[in-house]
């Protein structure tokens, strides 16, 4: 068991038994929310990387350049998701990484929204494809940020009780 630092706002990270039930539940909710986004992201990434022809038309891409571009996006999605597994495994221990995941989600959502906002008329299929990414990234951000925020608040409240 790791010693408890009274100046820290975090519970002892190596002593799961010291955490109250509400914090333990919050940790599992964080895991589930981050895992949900991770699984959907990886499924999408693998689809783009392994079966690009199924997605090229939705992005108005064609031929070898379209296939390679779609596969490249799939590989980028896989790289993006390398940050998730440690957060899913031990969110209470990988706080900085959880913040990186949330920042990545914000970057994706803002970037997709800017692309969508500058898309000229006449690209309805492309627009709807981007809209799907925006919707999923917004939902994912809300789920992950809300679960992370609730965990953080419950943990902080628990620490305040311990120090009182």
């Amino acid at each position: 068991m790791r010693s408890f630092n009274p100046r820290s706002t975090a519970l002892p990270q190596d002593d799961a038994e010291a955490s109250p039930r509400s914090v333990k539940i919050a940790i599992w909710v964080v895991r589930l929310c981050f895992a949900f986004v991770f699984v959907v992201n990886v499924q999408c990434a693998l689809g783009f990387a392994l079966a690009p022809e199924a997605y090229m038309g939705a992005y108005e891409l064609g031929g070898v350049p379209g296939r390679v571009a779609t596969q490249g996006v799939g590989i980028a999605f896989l790289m993006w998701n390398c940050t998730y597994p440690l957060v899913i495994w031990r969110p209470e221990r990988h706080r900085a990484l959880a913040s990186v995941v949330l920042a990545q989600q914000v970057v994706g959502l803002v970037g997709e929204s800017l692309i969508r906002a500058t898309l000229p008329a006449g690209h309805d299929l492309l627009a709807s494809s981007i809209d799907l990414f925006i919707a999923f990234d917004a939902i994912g951000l809300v789920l992950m940020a809300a679960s992370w925020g609730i965990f953080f608040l419950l943990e902080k409240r628990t620490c305040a009780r311990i120090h009182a």
Side-chain angles (χ1 to χ4, degrees), residues 1 5 9 13 18 35 52 59 71-74 85 94 98-100 109 113 120 125 135 155 157 161 164:
M1 173 166 51
N5 178 353
T9 60
Q13 294 177 348
Y59 297 96
Q71 287 176 310
V73 169
H94 299 287
S99 297
V100 169
L109 180 59
S113 298
L125 182 57
E155 185 183 59
R157 184 173 4 141
R161 286 184 195 151

Side-chain angles (χ1 to χ4, degrees), residues 77-92:
F77 283 175
L78 287 174
M79 290 180 353
W80 181 308
N81 282 276
C82 289
T83 52
Y84 284 72
L86 287 175
V87 176
I88 295 165
W89 176 51
R90 295 287 302 268
E92 73 281 9

